[in-house]
Every structure is written in C-alpha cells, then in structure tokens.
Amino acid sequence: SKKLGVSAPSSRKVQGISVDFLVNRFERCLKKEFGSKFNDNTTFDDLAILLWGPREQRFSKTVDLLGHASMPDTERDAPGVSLREAIAASNPKHVNDATMFISWTWRYKVREFLRALRNYCCDQDLDMAQSFV
C-alpha cells in the first residue's frame, strides 16, 4: 500500500472532504456510476476522463456525479461546480476546514489512494469523520 505524504494544512483556510465520506461513500458512488470501468487500476487521470472526457476534449461530455455538473456556479453564472462543492451541498457534515494536506498525483490509483487514507487514519488513531483532506 502507498505511503501518504501527509502534513498539516497551511495557515490559509482550505475546505476539505472528510476521509469518512471518501472511503465509505465516494467509492460506492464511482462504482455505481461507472460499473466495471471503475476498478483497481483506475487512476485519477482515468477518473477525470470518465467524468469530463479526454484531455484534448475536456468537458465535451460530463457525468453529473453527485450533481456537480448541473449545480449552478453563482460566481460564473453557469452550471458546474467542484465535487467538493457538490458534496457540501448534499452532505454538509462531510465538508469542513482541512485538517491535513496530501501530496498526490493524477497517476495514483483511486482505490489504492482511498485505502491509504483509511489506513493512515487507523494507524494514527484519527476519527475519519473528523479528518478532512
């Protein structure tokens, strides 16, 4: 399993998503939405393609995961917000000030990353519902 590069967040307030939501609900949402296209080898880059289309045609298609593509962005006066904003709208207890920062790359496998998050919280005796990344 991957070792996470975890550190305290900067002094600037940044909103994060609870580890509990990520490891217990987000993965189920992905499996339900994408079926066998979401598997142990799916990277974050693969996930971006599933959600928004290939890089050269980004946003040519969008999958409205958790309502993020249809939710209105009031700053842009157009539809489409971040997944964090969509999660905050439907599951507000799962979004709060980040308690940790994680260094990651688009090439990480999503499931491996989620397992590493869960394992880190367990190893550090952290409450996943109160741990926000």
Side-chain angles (χ1 to χ4, degrees):
S1 139
K2 284 208 182 306
K3 291 285 185 182
L4 292 178
V6 177
S7 62
S10 71
S11 59
R12 183 177 67 114
K13 293 288 184 193
V14 175
Q15 294 280 288
I17 301 169
S18 75
V19 173
D20 180 58
F21 182 88
L22 292 172
V23 302
N24 292 312
R25 303 223 5 231
F26 187 61
E27 184 174 357
R28 282 198 316 262
C29 289
L30 295 173
K31 188 63 178 168
K32 181 179 176 183
E33 184 66 44
F34 300 115
S36 63
K37 291 180 184 176
F38 177 71
N39 56 57
D40 287 341
N41 293 315
T42 303
T43 65
F44 282 97
D45 199 38
D46 297 331
L47 183 57
I49 293 167
L50 289 171
L51 285 168
W52 305 303
R55 187 175 309 276
E56 58 279 355
Q57 298 170 343
R58 194 59 36 107
F59 304 110
S60 61
K61 72 166 196 148
T62 55
V63 172
D64 200 18
L65 187 69
L66 302 167
H68 86 287
S70 59
M71 190 175 295
D73 181 342
T74 55
E75 288 182 20
R76 293 183 305 114
D77 194 29
V81 298
S82 70
L83 287 170
R84 187 208 45 84
E85 290 172 285
I87 293 165
S90 60
N91 298 277
K93 74 178 187 174
H94 289 292
V95 176
N96 206 337
D97 291 342
T99 58
M100 56 185 142
F101 171 80
I102 298 176
S103 179
W104 65 284
T105 174
W106 286 92
R107 290 178 297 233
Y108 282 178
K109 293 177 181 173
V110 177
R111 282 188 170 154
E112 191 172 319
F113 180 81
L114 296 175
R115 277 192 301 271
L117 270 177
R118 184 189 64 235
N119 291 343
Y120 178 82
C121 285
C122 290
D123 292 349
Q124 300 298 313
D125 200 29
L126 297 173
D127 180 351
M128 291 192 303
Q130 297 303 313
S131 299
F132 297 86
V133 296

